[in-house]
């Protein structure tokens, strides 16, 4: 969809020490997210760019991989080198058996 210029990583291969940036909307995050993810909705990124580390690997995730690919391209244009799109987004994350949690202790789900 976005071509070879957007590097990606399978959900099953995201390392535990990677900064996982979840760019989904608040309702999607509330329904379920990766335990160690950092939430920053895509539309808020330009104003909050300084919150994203550029000295370590960053994996960007959304529901299916489209928004996160756009964010990866944006970050690359703004100087990030170690940034990857999580292939298939949270759908593939959950399908790979990776944990999906909520902040209130309810079972997590991908919406």
């Amino acid at each position: 969809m976005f071509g070879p210029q957007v590097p990606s990583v399978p959900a099953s291969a995201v390392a535990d020490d990677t900064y996982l940036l979840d760019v989904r909307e608040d309702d999607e995050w509330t329904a379920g997210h990766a335990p160690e993810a950092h939430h920053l909705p895509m539309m808020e990124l330009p104003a909050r760019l300084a919150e994203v580390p550029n000295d370590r690997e960053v994996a960007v995730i959304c529901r299916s991989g489209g928004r996160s690919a756009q964010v990866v391209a944006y970050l690359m244009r703004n100087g990030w080198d170690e940034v990857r799109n999580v292939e298939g987004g949270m759908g593939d994350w959950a399908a790979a058996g990776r944990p999906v949690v909520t902040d209130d202790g309810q079972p997590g789900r991908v919406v």
Side-chain angles (χ1 to χ4, degrees), residues 9-21 34-38 56-59 86 93 96-99:
V9 60
S12 61
V14 175
D16 291 340
D17 61 345
T18 298
Y19 186 92
L20 185 61
L21 178 63
E36 301 301 320
H38 302 268
R56 62 187 280 204
E57 187 171 334
V58 175
V86 178
W93 180 274
R98 307 288 304 253

Side-chain angles (χ1 to χ4, degrees), residues 1-101:
M1 175 192 304
F2 293 93
Q5 73 277 10
V6 177
S8 62
V9 60
S12 61
V14 175
D16 291 340
D17 61 345
T18 298
Y19 186 92
L20 185 61
L21 178 63
D22 190 322
V23 297
R24 297 175 302 148
E25 295 299 319
D26 291 339
D27 61 325
E28 295 171 292
W29 170 267
T30 300
H33 54 270
E36 301 301 320
H38 302 268
H39 186 220
L40 200 168
M42 179 177 159
M43 299 309 292
E44 295 179 22
L45 182 65
R48 297 174 58 189
L49 198 55
E51 295 177 33
V52 182
N54 60 9
D55 60 349
R56 62 187 280 204
E57 187 171 334
V58 175
V60 185
I61 195 166
C62 65
R63 184 185 54 194
S64 62
R67 287 173 285 178
S68 53
Q70 293 176 53
V71 168
V72 168
Y74 179 82
L75 289 172
M76 291 175 69
R77 285 192 307 271
N78 283 277
W80 271 253
D81 295 321
E82 295 184 66
V83 61
R84 307 281 178 267
N85 183 35
V86 178
E87 297 171 3
M90 283 300 295
D92 279 12
W93 180 274
R98 307 288 304 253
V100 178
V101 301

